[in-house]
Amino acid sequence: MSPQSSSSKNSRKRKPRAEIERHPERSVPEQAATILAMGRVAHLAFTENGQPFAIPFGYHFDRAQPDRLWIHGSRASRALNLAASGVPLSITVTLLDGLVFSKSAMYHSINYRSAVCFGRGREVTDAAGQRIIYEQMIRRYFPGRTAGRDYASPTEADLAATMLVEVAVEEISAKARQNGPGGPWDYDPDSPGTAGVIPL
Ligand SMILES: Cc1cc2nc3c(=O)[nH]c(=O)nc-3n(C[C@H](O)[C@H](O)[C@H](O)COP(=O)(O)OP(=O)(O)OC[C@H]3O[C@@H](n4cnc5c(N)ncnc54)[C@H](O)[C@@H]3O)c2cc1C
């Protein structure tokens, strides 16, 4: 291995975990909260005995507390119990904005906004705090739904059967691709083929 490749490998290792290396011009940290507020599915990643897992979850996010995410589910969930134990977690939320087609196979792409969070979780154990998050979470997914009018609040038994995990976000990165196709012939009307964006 040449000295140059050795040092570039070492410098890769020293990069902060939330620094975007590929296409840094697509870094949009100012959009992180919007992405988390608009997202519907969070992929919770963790390792257990050296085995990586990425498990999909619904989640709650509140712009007033942008350094927190909440996930919940059955007390029997392996993923939730691990998340509550304080092990390092990574959580990814992705918004799909468009399918990008090009006159060149190489330049087919996807327009997206995504956020990758690093943090650690803890169980929320007080019932009043749980109720607040569950009510806010229902309203985030179903704007306008109101406890006591549209649905019954959780019972004590419901709360006991459910685990709520608050993840303190230590670092976050956000990245977006929002352009048309970037192939060499895409804007040449004399070149064969088709190019464009299918909005999603
Ligand atoms: C859009 C979406 C939202 C969800 N929201 C929630 C939520 O809010 N709360 C909640 O508790 N659960 C939710 N789930 C289910 C969640 O993904 C897990 O299946 C569940 O939490 C059980 O986790 P576990 O680690 O105990 O599963 P285990 O059964 O212990 O996992 C064992 C293995 O099963 C497989 N597996 C587990 N889950 C899935 C999956 N979803 N798809 C494919 N393979 C899987 C994996 O290989 C995993 O390693 C959601 C799933 C989806 C797709």
Side-chain angles (χ1 to χ4, degrees):
M1 184 182 291
S2 71
Q4 191 182 357
S5 62
S6 165
S7 85
S8 74
K9 196 173 173 191
N10 288 340
S11 67
R12 275 182 76 85
K13 275 186 187 164
R14 284 198 299 273
K15 287 271 188 188
R17 60 185 173 176
E19 185 172 327
I20 292 175
E21 290 189 60
R22 287 273 306 136
H23 286 297
E25 77 283 2
R26 293 181 183 169
S27 176
V28 288
E30 72 286 357
Q31 292 187 34
T34 297
I35 294 165
L36 295 177
M38 290 180 66
R40 296 286 186 268
V41 179
H43 283 87
L44 170 73
F46 54 88
T47 56
E48 185 181 38
N49 301 323
Q51 170 65 55
F53 294 90
I55 304 290
F57 274 87
Y59 70 100
H60 183 58
F61 175 76
D62 179 357
R63 282 179 184 275
Q65 299 181 76
D67 60 348
R68 296 280 181 277
L69 286 175
W70 291 268
I71 52 178
H72 80 300
S74 163
R75 291 206 157 270
S77 165
R78 179 270 313 263
L80 275 178
N81 277 280
L82 262 165
S85 73
V87 299
L89 304 172
S90 181
I91 298 180
T92 296
V93 171
T94 305
L95 306 177
L96 286 183
D97 292 321
L99 297 177
V100 181
F101 57 104
S102 166
K103 294 183 180 181
S104 166
M106 171 87 175
Y107 290 91
H108 286 74
S109 189
I110 292 178
N111 279 344
Y112 64 85
R113 286 166 287 162
S114 52
V116 175
C117 310
F118 298 95
R120 290 171 194 267
R122 68 165 186 98
E123 183 177 356
V124 178
T125 51
D126 73 293
Q130 293 170 358
R131 287 180 185 283
I132 289 169
I133 297 300
Y134 292 146
E135 197 173 324
Q136 290 180 350
M137 185 175 182
I138 288 174
R139 203 173 299 132
R140 191 176 86 83
Y141 279 86
F142 306 95
R145 279 185 75 76
T146 302
R149 185 189 70 190
D150 300 310
Y151 65 93
S153 295
T155 63
E156 294 298 320
D158 294 337
L159 293 183
T162 308
M163 179 182 281
L164 177 63
V165 177
E166 178 185 275
V167 178
V169 177
E170 297 158 356
E171 288 176 76
I172 187 167
S173 56
K175 188 174 177 182
R177 185 200 192 280
Q178 297 286 299
N179 301 322
W185 309 298
D186 289 332
Y187 300 95
D188 175 2
D190 298 327
S191 294
T194 55
V197 177
I198 302 169
L200 293 179

